[in-house]
Amino acid sequence: MTAQNPADGHDDPYLWLEEIESEKAVDWVDTQNKRTDGFLVDESYQRDFDAVLNILDADDRIPFVGKSGDFLYNFWKDAEHPRGLWRRTTLDSYRKEKPDWDVLLDIDALNAAESVSWAFAGATRSPDKTRALVSLSFNGTDAIEVREFDIAKKSFVTDGFLIPKAKTQVAWIDNDTLLVGSAQTPETTTEAGYTRIVQRWTRGTPLAAAETVFEVEKQDVAAWFGVNRRPGHEGLMFWRALDFTRSQIFVERKHGPHAGQRLQLELPEEISVGAEAEDLLLSPKQDWTVGDVTIPAGALAVIDLDRFLSGARDMEIVFTPTPERALQSWAETRHGIVLELLDNVRGRLSLLRRSEAGWRETVLPGLPDNASISAQNFGGEDDPKLGEDVLFTITGFTRPTTTALWNGRSAPEKLKSAPRNFDPEGIEVQQRHAVAEDGTKIPYFLIGKNLSAEGAPRPTILYGYGGFEVSLTPSYMAIAGKLWLEHGHVYAIANIRGGGEFGPGWHLASRKNTKHVAHDDFAAVARDLAASGVTTAAKLACHGGSNGGLLVGNMLTRYPRLFGAIWCSVPLLDMARYTKLLAGQSWIAEYGDPEIADEWAYLQKFSPYHLAEAGQNYPPILITTNRTDDRVHPGHARKMVARLQELGCPAWFNETVAGGHSGAVDNSKQAQSQALGYAFLRRTIGK
């Protein structure tokens, strides 16, 4: 540790605010919440809260489903069931305007019976579809309790599988055997807070006695796994996650020449893989040269898995990216490989088919522009030939989300449409470009009324993320449309480096010692918005959450003159101590390690908590967090507000008790968060 690195907290006057439940810290939070409510909660706030809650609770929302066996499963929250219902129906019933739902589990009733604030965190069906492993989160935490559930009886199984609260991954091998990774004890937990062992657990035996079948080192991020139960292709896959981007991957096959062996795949450490059936699909994050062939970063290559395990390396490159065309994900189907692509940040779907002449790509026609389009297998996990049906989800800024079912032969069958939540009259969508300091063009979407007409500068929100290869793509602006666009204001979304909009290289351009590049790109977009007359610095606000909270925190401390207000949600802000707080250790590959002197040298240059200083004319900032966020520690937000207020800066704070990192534990909490943020923007830039 160098003298310049305050990661030990000895020189941090607000270290006590990291004590999440301490009486002193909670009293401080309560005082801050009351102060913020006094500033922002008024009749306009209440109107916005009611409007958002009506959108989130609306009966005509799409009930999004996943197919397992003969049933479609859905989790549904509304005004009568704020914590939600886990339910199912058939495809024939789902096609109706009002499907007949069979309610399996009422979370609100469970909470009343057990006097615990559970939130539903998912369920996975047993191979015979009679049981499920239900994950329950306390108020939205990442840590979950897992219980076995009898689907026909609609009740938890007495003396069934039960995994106590922890960060857990679990999957069925067969009806009486599970694969479990659960961070139950310090010995079985990595420094990042995830499990370091995977166990094979047999019904009727204690979890503590389960056989350890895979193990990673304490300093690794985690041990992950996947179970393939597809008939004829059964097997296991294990990941030794060295950090957030690098992994070593191992496979076990039940059939074929390598049956019963665990073999490490000889692959680069930064790569995405898939192995649903015979083929191994590979997409490297950096150029990968094998023999005389180089597979470009972001390309997709295919080879028979058994041949690869036997030493063959004659991969076929079936998709090659271009500077504007990037692969986001893929789905293996009976009809071929469905590719989710971004073409200049616009969603496209392509189908790759194998033929005697080689692989052929066909762009699926009839899909909208300025939209996001995803494809997922719709059931078919028990089909040895891969599933036939594919579910499309299509959404755009002003286009309510729709879903459609495609069988590979006829035109997609429309299933559901979301309602219109705001008046789109006059609202335009434009894609523009700012120029970064190094000359790179940074695209951004601009959404607002009558953008083509000249007019006075308007209040504008600029949203961004810029990390972890996450792409910001068009999606229906139900809430922002109602609370912001309808009033004639403008919204912008910046596709800055650090994301995945243009493939892995776009991410690698802003990582560790170049992390600041994402922040500089965002500032370039802000300047472009003002220079083009859309807005002015006084009327421009920025918003971001999590890694995006770090982004907008840097706008406060590094680019304060570009903004009139900043809305910062569940943020990272103290980059000296982030690795010591909750899951922070797992993000070293993205940001760097503050305990290494050379890395702290650049980390401190984008650590808002350390950059805040007296004598600066900082714009007003609202920082929000959640006490049950066990991913990004609420101490980041708490300490930053305390520091800014000490400097006399206009800083406001809100902390909710329930919600976890996403804040989506129930619709009222989301409505509160959104209404508070827009109330803050009205008071600052919306005048």
Side-chain angles (χ1 to χ4, degrees):
M1 181 70 63
T2 68
Q4 293 178 318
N5 188 344
D8 56 14
H10 290 165
D11 298 326
D12 187 349
Y14 298 110
L15 193 67
W16 56 275
L17 284 170
E18 292 180 6
E19 300 171 15
I20 296 175
E21 298 288 354
S22 76
E23 182 177 356
K24 182 180 179 182
V26 170
D27 286 346
W28 181 90
V29 168
D30 290 343
T31 298
Q32 292 291 331
N33 282 349
K34 291 175 182 176
R35 175 177 177 267
T36 299
D37 287 349
F39 177 52
L40 296 178
V41 176
D42 56 14
E43 290 183 1
S44 295
Y45 162 88
Q46 190 60 50
R47 283 196 299 271
D48 284 352
F49 176 89
D50 292 341
V52 175
L53 194 57
N54 286 336
I55 290 171
L56 297 176
D57 281 344
D59 291 337
D60 55 354
R61 288 172 291 144
I62 294 179
F64 291 100
V65 292
K67 189 172 185 291
S68 180
D70 297 328
F71 291 95
L72 279 59
Y73 290 81
N74 164 260
F75 186 68
W76 181 262
K77 292 180 288 187
D78 58 26
E80 294 182 9
H81 310 94
R83 288 297 172 105
L85 302 171
W86 183 45
R87 58 189 190 171
R88 70 179 183 177
T89 190
T90 63
L91 179 57
D92 286 342
S93 180
Y94 187 72
R95 287 185 167 106
K96 300 176 182 177
E97 183 177 351
K98 294 185 177 181
D100 297 319
W101 293 102
D102 180 21
V103 175
L104 303 175
L105 180 61
D106 183 329
I107 301 298
D108 294 280
L110 177 68
N111 289 353
E114 299 188 357
S115 299
V116 178
S117 294
W118 293 119
F120 185 76
T124 178
R125 265 67 58 190
S126 61
D128 67 0
K129 308 299 188 290
T130 64
R131 302 284 180 91
L133 296 170
V134 172
S135 297
L136 299 171
S137 160
F138 177 75
N139 267 335
T141 58
D142 286 350
I144 55 174
E145 178 174 295
V146 180
R147 304 181 187 179
E148 188 175 6
F149 187 84
D150 188 306
I151 294 176
K153 294 180 179 178
K154 302 180 182 179
S155 63
F156 292 107
V157 178
T158 304
D159 298 326
F161 289 118
L162 174 64
I163 305 173
K165 179 183 176 182
K167 291 187 177 181
T168 296
Q169 181 188 6
V170 62
W172 298 89
I173 294 179
D174 57 45
N175 293 330
D176 295 312
T177 314
L178 305 181
L179 214 55
V180 178
S182 188
Q184 291 288 332
T185 67
E187 292 74 22
T188 62
T189 303
T190 65
E191 293 175 359
Y194 298 99
T195 185
R196 58 178 292 268
I197 67 168
V198 180
Q199 296 172 284
R200 184 183 179 98
W201 186 19
T202 302
R203 186 182 299 280
T205 64
L207 177 58
E211 176 191 6
T212 296
V213 297
F214 186 69
E215 185 172 351
V216 302
E217 299 299 323
K218 189 79 172 175
Q219 70 271 17
D220 295 336
V221 166
W224 306 127
F225 60 85
V227 177
N228 189 345
R229 297 197 309 270
R230 189 178 304 283
H233 308 291
E234 295 93 340
L236 305 176
M237 190 172 286
F238 298 95
W239 284 260
R240 178 192 175 191
L242 302 169
D243 56 33
F244 212 80
T245 62
R246 298 181 303 123
S247 295
Q248 295 173 353
I249 306 172
F250 304 80
V251 297
E252 292 182 15
R253 301 274 278 170
K254 186 175 180 180
H255 307 283
H258 306 284
Q261 303 176 53
R262 178 180 299 169
L263 299 172
Q264 182 175 351
L265 296 178
E266 295 180 357
L267 298 171
E269 291 178 340
E270 294 189 81
I271 194 167
S272 296
V273 303
E276 292 291 327
E278 295 92 353
D279 289 325
L280 177 65
L281 278 66
L282 305 166
S283 183
K285 302 297 183 184
Q286 300 187 47
D287 290 356
W288 176 29
T289 299
V290 186
D292 297 329
V293 177
T294 296
I295 302 172
L300 184 65
V302 178
I303 187 172
D304 179 88
L305 176 55
D306 282 326
R307 291 187 62 253
F308 185 88
L309 294 174
S310 296
R313 293 294 181 269
D314 52 338
M315 283 83 76
E316 297 178 87
I317 301 174
V318 297
F319 170 80
T320 302
T322 68
E324 292 190 338
R325 195 165 179 256
L327 175 65
Q328 299 292 290
S329 64
W330 65 81
E332 292 184 72
T333 75
R334 184 180 301 183
H335 318 294
I337 305 170
V338 178
L339 303 181
E340 288 184 29
L341 306 172
L342 284 182
D343 189 345
N344 198 19
V345 205
R346 291 172 166 84
R348 302 285 187 266
L349 291 182
S350 285
L351 180 67
L352 288 173
R353 293 180 186 267
R354 181 187 266 129
S355 68
E356 293 183 359
W359 290 83
R360 175 177 296 179
E361 178 185 350
T362 303
V363 176
L364 297 181
L367 297 172
D369 204 8
N370 283 341
S372 298
I373 310 165
S374 66
Q376 67 182 76
N377 281 315
F378 201 56
E381 71 268 26
D382 301 319
D383 185 345
K385 296 182 180 180
L386 297 167
E388 179 178 58
D389 291 335
V390 182
L391 185 68
F392 294 164
T393 302
I394 304 167
T395 184
F397 293 120
T398 61
R399 176 193 177 98
T401 303
T402 60
T403 61
L405 196 61
W406 182 62
N407 61 16
R409 299 182 303 275
S410 54
E413 171 199 358
K414 184 177 178 181
L415 287 179
K416 297 292 178 184
S417 296
R420 287 200 178 277
N421 296 123
F422 64 93
D423 183 2
E425 181 67 29
I427 294 177
E428 302 175 24
V429 176
Q430 296 180 358
Q431 188 180 43
R432 299 186 177 187
H433 292 80
V435 179
E437 293 180 0
D438 63 0
T440 302
K441 289 186 176 181
I442 308 301
Y444 65 94
F445 288 105
L446 196 65
I447 309 101
K449 288 187 176 180
N450 304 318
L451 296 177
S452 302
E454 293 185 3
R458 288 183 272 174
T460 301
I461 302 172
L462 175 59
Y463 182 83
Y465 188 78
F468 297 95
E469 207 175 342
V470 172
S471 302
L472 295 186
T473 57
S475 62
Y476 187 55
M477 304 183 72
I479 294 171
K482 187 66 180 176
L483 304 190
W484 195 251
L485 299 179
E486 272 193 354
H487 296 279
H489 304 328
V490 179
Y491 203 103
I493 297 175
N495 299 117
I496 56 180
R497 283 172 284 189
E501 290 90 343
F502 297 98
W506 201 245
H507 173 223
L508 292 173
S510 176
R511 200 171 76 173
K512 298 187 79 169
N513 66 324
T514 58
K515 189 65 196 172
H516 65 91
V517 167
H519 311 155
D520 298 339
D521 287 354
F522 197 71
V525 175
R527 291 192 187 97
D528 195 73
L529 287 167
S532 64
V534 170
T535 190
T536 63
K539 291 182 178 292
L540 177 62
C542 59
H543 181 209
S546 194
N547 173 76
L550 173 65
L551 168 69
V552 300
N554 273 274
M555 295 305 103
L556 178 83
T557 52
R558 296 184 57 219
Y559 294 103
R561 294 176 181 81
L562 298 182
F563 298 94
I566 292 173
W567 178 7
C568 179
S569 305
V570 290
L572 285 87
L573 295 166
D574 181 350
M575 301 310 289
R577 286 185 54 76
Y578 86 93
T579 59
K580 297 181 179 296
L581 301 174
L582 298 174
Q585 186 81 11
S586 65
W587 309 322
I588 286 176
E590 183 75 15
Y591 301 122
D593 188 344
E595 298 200 57
I596 297 174
D598 289 345
E599 298 192 9
W600 172 243
Y602 64 74
L603 269 162
Q604 63 185 322
K605 295 178 181 179
F606 60 82
S607 180
Y609 187 57
H610 299 93
L611 294 176
E613 58 184 10
Q616 299 297 313
N617 186 23
Y618 292 132
I621 185 170
L622 170 67
I623 304 181
T624 64
T625 188
N626 192 287
R627 195 171 305 170
T628 56
D629 187 344
D630 56 350
R631 195 179 312 172
V632 177
H633 197 289
H636 287 275
R638 293 174 175 184
K639 295 195 304 178
M640 187 69 179
V641 168
R643 171 70 173 147
L644 290 172
Q645 290 179 351
E646 173 198 346
L647 298 175
C649 304
W652 306 89
F653 178 85
N654 178 262
E655 178 176 301
T656 53
V657 174
H661 188 58
S662 70
V665 68
D666 62 51
N667 291 340
S668 65
K669 295 295 186 296
Q670 291 190 71
Q672 174 190 348
S673 173
Q674 292 294 312
L676 205 65
Y678 282 98
F680 172 72
L681 298 184
R682 273 198 310 274
R683 290 293 184 92
T684 52
I685 67 164
K687 297 176 182 178

